[in-house]
Amino acid sequence: MAERILLLGKGGREHAFARKLSESSLCEHLYIAPGNPGTAWCGTNVALDPNHFDDIAAFVIQHQITMLVVGPEEPLVLGIWDYFQQRHLSHVRVIGPSANGAQLEGSKDFAKQFLIRNHIPTADYRTFTRDTKKEAVAFIRSFTTPVVLKADGLAAGKGVIICTDKQEAINTLDDFFDSGKFGTAGNKVVIESFLRGIELSVFILTDGKDYLILPTAKDYKRIGEGDTGLNTGGMGAISPVPFADDAFMKKIEDRVIKPTLRGLNEQQIAYTGFIYFGLIKVDDNPFVIEYNCRLGDPETEVVLPRIENDLVQLFIAATDNTLHEHTITQNKLHGVTIVVAASGYPGTPEKGKFISGMDQVHDAIVFQSGTTLADQLLISNGGRVLTITALGQDLSDARSKALQAVDTISFEGKYFRRDIGYEFF
Ligand code: AMP
Ligand code: GLY
């Protein structure tokens, strides 16, 4: 039976999902809430807020939705899965974990306790609150530098501060506890040791027991070339990760993925959906830096085009507990995705700039992230405006094609990194 799908979210990640879902013969109709002008090419955009569950549920009932795919983390952390269970909507296939499962991303303290309890390699840490600020200061004084401070709650990628100097770390505590700079996300702070190594991201689709590993990716979070400047949501990504060979992936499965699923089962945490493992390779060993309860943006834009499976079929399998009957088929191509951002990003982006040249792009996929329509014209409407993915025989081929596409498109203040994947050239 074909599915009537509602996809939540509005970024490049959701455009990539929408494109892939709409290609499936098992997709009867696709709605995207709220979507963007790019997703409107793949299905029907509906003006709903993913965090307003009553509105989402009313739409699901009215339009006989059978599958709900949750792109961003916020509705998951707020408990959309649990809401559907409680409101007699448990017949809807929800792709995303329970609120408890989403705590892997929603609370850094929860994630660290989970990692330690399940003997999964991660940086040493302690958690402090405003009430234990004095102990936090003493802990920093006794700790090695660099020291990493993390806001416990969701902070849209801005909650991690790496301090090379102890005094700077102590001053940063004030930002968390006193200035309110991180809102309630900063009420608790995880302080952990700095791990030196090379990062990569591994994603699984799971039904809570079985899992499928998706293509690996590496994202580039800093605004400047050579990984300099401020952190962003991500300026580009590559897939596959050249150093993630079979031996290293086996270590990740044995030391990270399997113990994570075992831990979720032991704690009876319901989890259907994606787990994103933010990893760092230290001396050939994987350590977990963070968990996310959804796929990454822009990683999704480079990972999904490399998967040959029917995504709707995989989602059906995840909700029917038949994932073990499937394997992921990756194409042999290399992918590079480049984020085209607005001037001002990651601070306040300039919006409302007319975007031209998209119809001239060949040999690359243009995903829309922060765009909107004004009088039928496409204009910028966010920090990350477009995400452009190209596939090639090798990394160099893929990057040339992606850059060529980026160069074809123009809008005032357009900013992007030319060096995505630079360590591997
Ligand atoms: P997160 O928001 O947890 O993804 O952290 C943002 C970035 O901070 C990560 O991608 C890493 O580059 C860096 N980071 C976080 N924790 C550590 C750590 N313990 N050691 C080194 N780098 C880290
Ligand atoms: N690109 C990082 C993230 O989605 O969290």
Side-chain angles (χ1 to χ4, degrees):
M1 199 187 79
E3 301 287 328
R4 297 177 59 78
I5 307 173
L6 174 62
L7 166 66
L8 302 184
K10 63 175 183 182
R13 168 181 51 208
E14 285 73 25
H15 190 179
F17 266 127
R19 177 175 179 271
K20 186 86 180 143
L21 293 169
S22 67
E23 282 170 5
S24 167
S25 59
L26 295 169
C27 176
E28 184 186 315
H29 198 89
L30 175 66
Y31 296 94
I32 311 98
N36 66 37
T39 63
W41 290 97
C42 312
T44 310
N45 286 348
V46 287
L48 292 175
D49 182 331
N51 295 338
H52 291 176
F53 299 166
D54 288 343
D55 297 346
I56 300 288
F59 184 88
V60 162
I61 293 164
Q62 192 188 353
H63 293 270
Q64 294 164 357
I65 298 299
T66 57
M67 179 183 281
L68 179 73
V69 181
V70 187
E73 61 278 14
E74 227 185 327
L76 295 167
V77 173
L78 291 173
I80 196 162
W81 183 89
D82 309 70
Y83 181 100
F84 270 64
Q85 295 298 307
Q86 288 153 10
R87 300 298 157 108
H88 306 294
L89 291 168
S90 57
H91 60 280
V92 178
R93 303 176 188 276
V94 179
I95 304 302
S98 62
N100 280 340
Q103 285 295 94
L104 285 179
E105 173 165 7
S107 165
K108 300 271 188 207
D109 181 46
F110 177 94
K112 293 299 285 192
Q113 288 189 37
F114 181 91
L115 288 162
I116 301 291
R117 186 180 316 115
N118 294 293
H119 310 288
I120 299 167
T122 190
D124 298 333
Y125 87 107
R126 273 186 64 188
T127 301
F128 298 92
T129 61
R130 192 174 284 113
D131 293 340
T132 54
K133 187 175 162 195
K134 270 204 187 116
E135 285 92 322
V137 171
F139 181 69
I140 290 171
R141 290 223 164 91
S142 68
F143 212 51
T144 45
T145 52
V147 55
V148 184
L149 282 77
K150 299 185 171 182
D152 178 58
L154 290 183
K158 299 196 174 93
V160 176
I161 316 284
I162 297 170
C163 303
T164 42
D165 173 273
K166 289 188 183 182
Q167 193 52 49
E168 181 195 346
I170 291 166
N171 296 344
T172 303
L173 280 179
D174 296 337
D175 287 343
F176 283 101
F177 292 140
D178 303 323
S179 77
K181 198 166 154 187
F182 297 96
T184 52
N187 287 349
K188 261 191 204 173
V189 176
V190 165
I191 302 182
E192 68 177 30
S193 52
F194 180 81
L195 297 172
R196 213 172 288 282
I198 185 157
E199 289 179 52
L200 77 156
S201 305
V202 169
F203 316 95
I204 61 167
L205 174 65
T206 182
D207 53 18
K209 189 162 93 20
D210 294 306
Y211 61 89
L212 297 173
I213 302 182
L214 309 187
T216 55
K218 183 173 194 309
D219 78 334
Y220 292 79
K221 287 204 175 85
R222 302 291 201 94
I223 188 74
E225 292 189 354
D227 287 335
T228 52
L230 293 173
N231 250 325
T232 70
M235 292 302 294
I238 61 163
S239 176
V241 176
F243 61 84
D245 56 16
D246 289 349
F248 191 60
M249 289 307 289
K250 170 106 177 52
K251 286 184 186 172
I252 292 172
E253 271 197 91
D254 291 345
R255 299 178 193 178
V256 178
I257 297 176
K258 286 178 181 163
T260 296
L261 289 171
R262 212 178 300 129
L264 289 171
N265 277 301
E266 273 168 20
Q267 283 184 253
Q268 297 185 329
I269 294 175
Y271 207 114
T272 304
F274 294 103
I275 305 181
Y276 165 144
F277 301 90
L279 305 173
I280 188 160
K281 175 172 161 284
V282 183
D283 297 335
D284 228 22
N285 293 313
F287 283 71
V288 175
I289 285 196
E290 63 164 348
Y291 284 114
N292 292 316
C293 60
R294 35 99 196 155
L295 284 191
D297 193 349
E299 294 93 322
T300 308
E301 292 94 303
V302 75
V303 164
L304 292 186
R306 296 199 52 241
I307 296 178
E308 292 187 344
N309 303 67
D310 179 326
L311 194 58
V312 179
Q313 191 175 51
L314 293 181
F315 286 168
I316 292 172
T319 44
D320 282 350
N321 298 319
T322 55
L323 271 185
H324 59 274
E325 293 171 9
H326 296 265
T327 47
I328 294 283
T329 313
Q330 306 186 16
N331 63 36
K332 298 273 175 274
L333 299 172
H334 291 250
V336 170
T337 192
I338 299 176
V339 169
V340 190
S343 166
Y345 183 72
T348 311
E350 278 186 25
K351 296 182 182 175
K353 304 298 179 194
F354 171 62
I355 302 166
S356 65
M358 289 202 358
D359 50 346
Q360 304 299 315
V361 171
H362 305 289
D363 237 3
I365 317 166
V366 182
F367 296 113
Q368 298 189 29
S369 305
T371 57
T372 192
L373 289 175
D375 296 332
Q376 304 301 314
L377 294 176
L378 192 69
I379 60 170
S380 64
N381 192 38
R384 295 190 286 177
V385 179
L386 304 169
T387 310
I388 295 176
T389 300
L391 299 174
Q393 293 307 322
D394 55 30
L395 205 54
S396 161
D397 182 29
R399 189 165 83 177
S400 311
K401 285 178 181 163
L403 283 170
Q404 200 175 10
V406 173
D407 287 334
T408 308
I409 294 174
S410 31
F411 60 87
E412 196 188 316
K414 165 181 125 175
Y415 174 82
F416 62 99
R417 279 179 60 171
R418 300 195 84 88
D419 71 335
I420 300 305
Y422 70 95
E423 310 97 310
F424 308 111
F425 277 80

